[in-house]
Amino acid sequence: MNSHIIEEDLRYLWHPCTQMKDHELFPLVPIKSAKGVYLYDFDGNSYIDAISSWWVNLFGHANPHISQKIKEQIDTLEHVLLAGFTHEPAVLLAKSLVKITPQALQKVFFADNGSSAVEVALKMSYHFHHNKGECRPLFLSLANSYHGETIGALSVGDVKLYKDTYAPLLIRSLQAPVPKDQSPSSAKEALGELAKILHRHDKEISAMILEPLIQGAGGMHMYHPDYLAGARELTQGYGVHLIADEIMTGFGRTGTMFGCEQAGISPDFMLLSKGLTGGYLPLSAVLTTDEIYDAFYGDYHEHKAFLHSHSYTGNPLACSAALATLEIFEQQDILGENRIKSSYIAQKLERFRTLDNVKEVRQLGMVAAVEMIEENPKDRIGMQVYLYGLRHGVLLRPLGPVIYFMPPYTITNDEIDTMMDVAYNAIETIRRSFK
Ligand SMILES: *Cc1c(COP(=O)(O)O)cnc(C)c1O
């Protein structure tokens, strides 16, 4: 069964974020089913999903509550266009999102994946200034940031591996330095630089976009909430929108429901996706303020409207998965339980600090990272950890030399032990192989 799927796959599929030739060396892993934190292959092997299937899963695979809600929806209304028409799941979800996000965010625009949400926010911000009679053709983001792969999202990101090839195609953006670590002094230093950039480009920048507290694809780089608070204040002073890309950090990952809460700020846009549907279906949401919404409101002939759409905008199945996910947050003290789990993870992380091929260990909420020292990128030590993990029943997918843990919140202490012991042994094995 396995070899048949792999053969047919390689004949017909082109996989995301993959050098396909790698599969001459590393086999694909066909997954037959999944339950809780486990993925199961066709040979009876199981793998702990330590990365929540690219950061989307919150409450385990085949979660009974979410599955049930989608089943109920699927025979009622699977989809209808959202222009001129509406449906209950979209309305209920928009209302719930407004309720749980910072006070000033009052309107919800749906799209169907994270990158699209970024595109929507960039266009809305630019268009807002346009409607106010200004042209602000620049966007500002942080060094080492990631906001997705479509052209606009790629333009404001700063991961060279994904971006460099497309440089001539990209829209104009500037990068401000990101605080170099989690200390308040690094936040302060980076804010000094931000102030200079905003001053130098006064009235040219539409918006600043950032990942609150944790830069995900940029290697789980973490910074202090003081930076967020300072960036909010500075951008406001220059009439520059602040876009909080909470696509990865949202829904409890950082320890609070949203990363912005730790700085007590309210951005002009908040972007949600990934965990939004509990890892079930593609959906994203752009939340914004009444002030921004009102700038688009007028007679049709004024040409102020935001004429942007995606075919599957606000899909009812995806909205019902999201509603079921939010119900779990309402019915259980997820954030409280996560605090206990994340302090257990913190305890287990200590041991990694003693390894001499480990450069840094960091954690925030339900995200932990161990950065290895990589003498030569050609060694692909991240890939070695990935393969070691698969042989030992754990799906780890390091970002270069950074091994990270971002498991579903339903993970038990025993499963945390397995996940982290396997990672430890992988690093230890690599250490010995370079001796
Ligand atoms: C994953 C991610 C995106 C892009 O979302 P996709 O659904 O993969 O397009 C954007 N921003 C951040 C912070 C992300 O982690």
Side-chain angles (χ1 to χ4, degrees):
M1 189 63 181
N2 246 351
S3 61
H4 179 66
I5 293 182
I6 292 174
E7 207 177 290
E8 295 266 276
D9 176 294
L10 294 176
R11 185 165 302 145
Y12 296 112
L13 260 74
W14 191 343
H15 286 263
C17 205
T18 300
Q19 170 48 263
M20 292 303 295
K21 190 169 192 290
D22 272 359
H23 287 308
E24 292 178 10
L25 298 171
F26 316 120
L28 273 162
V29 187
I31 293 299
K32 184 181 180 198
S33 65
K35 182 75 194 160
V37 300
Y38 292 100
L39 305 172
Y40 299 98
D41 70 13
F42 288 82
D43 299 324
N45 300 309
S46 64
Y47 309 90
I48 294 180
D49 188 353
I51 61 162
S52 296
S53 283
W54 263 353
W55 321 347
V56 298
N57 194 291
L58 298 184
F59 300 120
H61 293 274
N63 179 283
H65 182 67
I66 304 173
S67 296
Q68 181 56 36
K69 290 289 171 173
I70 296 172
K71 285 175 195 163
E72 286 166 19
Q73 185 61 42
I74 206 163
D75 287 327
T76 310
L77 175 66
E78 85 299 340
H79 186 67
V80 65
L81 76 167
L82 203 63
F85 292 81
T86 190
H87 53 81
E88 202 173 22
V91 174
L92 290 176
L93 179 58
K95 188 176 170 186
S96 304
L97 291 174
V98 164
K99 203 167 126 197
I100 61 173
T101 50
Q103 175 68 40
L105 301 171
Q106 292 292 323
K107 289 287 189 291
V108 181
F109 190 97
F110 286 116
D112 44 25
N113 62 71
S115 303
S116 308
V118 172
E119 302 290 341
V120 166
L122 298 177
K123 283 177 69 182
M124 267 186 188
S125 173
Y126 177 82
H127 197 158
F128 169 91
H129 295 294
H130 175 87
N131 283 352
K132 295 276 177 187
E134 276 188 78
C135 180
R136 293 183 174 228
L138 282 177
F139 292 99
L140 179 60
S141 63
L142 290 181
N144 191 50
S145 59
Y146 179 86
H147 298 289
E149 311 281 356
T150 53
I151 298 289
L154 197 61
S155 304
V156 292
D158 187 41
V159 178
K160 293 198 170 20
L161 181 63
Y162 307 142
K163 183 173 180 177
D164 277 2
T165 310
Y166 308 101
L169 305 181
L170 303 180
I171 61 172
R172 291 164 65 197
S173 77
L174 302 166
Q175 276 71 51
V178 64
K180 63 181 191 301
D181 54 35
Q182 286 173 285
S183 69
S185 60
S186 299
K188 198 169 169 208
E189 205 177 303
L191 284 169
E193 293 304 311
L194 176 61
K196 285 185 214 158
I197 293 171
L198 287 168
H199 180 71
R200 204 179 307 133
H201 295 279
D202 190 19
K203 304 245 180 325
E204 293 177 330
I205 301 170
S206 273
M208 176 181 194
I209 182 167
L210 46 70
E211 297 157 272
L213 308 181
I214 308 178
Q215 294 186 312
M220 300 300 154
H221 182 75
M222 301 176 185
Y223 62 87
H224 196 274
D226 279 0
Y227 185 80
L228 274 186
R232 170 68 289 187
E233 206 179 309
L234 285 168
T235 48
Q236 207 144 33
Y238 285 91
V240 170
H241 293 139
L242 184 66
I243 305 172
D245 177 352
E246 298 249 16
I247 290 168
M248 184 281 275
T249 53
F251 302 101
R253 274 295 164 198
T254 65
T256 45
M257 194 62 170
F258 301 104
C260 285
E261 291 171 27
Q262 295 184 41
I265 62 157
S266 193
D268 299 291
F269 295 93
M270 185 182 276
L271 315 182
L272 304 173
S273 189
K274 294 207 163 110
L276 174 60
T277 62
Y280 267 72
L281 287 159
L283 180 69
S284 61
V286 177
L287 281 93
T288 191
T289 62
D290 282 333
E291 186 199 355
I292 289 170
Y293 176 85
D294 289 343
F296 291 79
Y297 201 86
D299 289 329
Y300 189 79
H301 296 292
E302 289 181 65
H303 298 296
K304 287 164 77 172
F306 189 61
L307 301 180
H308 180 110
S309 61
H310 296 287
S311 311
Y312 282 97
T313 295
N315 173 260
L317 298 176
C319 288
S320 62
L323 283 166
T325 301
L326 294 182
E327 277 162 15
I328 296 175
F329 277 106
E330 267 168 39
Q331 288 158 10
Q332 299 170 39
D333 180 20
I334 300 297
L335 298 178
E337 288 163 26
N338 280 358
R339 270 194 290 279
I340 297 165
K341 270 173 207 165
S342 71
S343 66
Y344 185 71
I345 291 172
Q347 242 171 296
K348 296 278 302 182
L349 267 179
E350 279 309 307
R351 190 156 75 111
F352 289 84
R353 294 183 200 275
T354 61
L355 290 167
D356 59 14
N357 58 337
V358 167
K359 186 165 142 194
E360 197 184 54
V361 174
R362 45 188 185 264
Q363 185 194 12
L364 186 67
M366 289 298 282
V367 182
V370 176
E371 182 162 353
M372 292 183 288
I373 296 167
E374 185 167 52
E375 307 277 340
N376 184 351
K378 289 215 171 90
D379 295 334
R380 297 182 77 182
I381 53 179
M383 180 59 95
Q384 294 183 40
V385 171
Y386 168 74
L387 294 171
Y388 185 96
L390 286 183
R391 286 197 300 276
H392 295 84
V394 182
L395 165 51
L396 298 162
R397 201 173 190 281
L399 295 153
V402 180
I403 301 181
Y404 67 91
F405 308 101
M406 203 193 286
Y409 302 159
T410 48
I411 194 166
T412 64
N413 283 2
D414 278 352
E415 290 156 354
I416 291 173
D417 286 348
T418 305
M419 170 179 84
M420 294 182 71
D421 289 348
V422 166
Y424 182 90
N425 293 338
I427 300 174
E428 173 65 16
T429 304
I430 289 169
R431 193 178 73 92
R432 269 188 272 119
S433 76
F434 283 108
K435 278 264 140 105

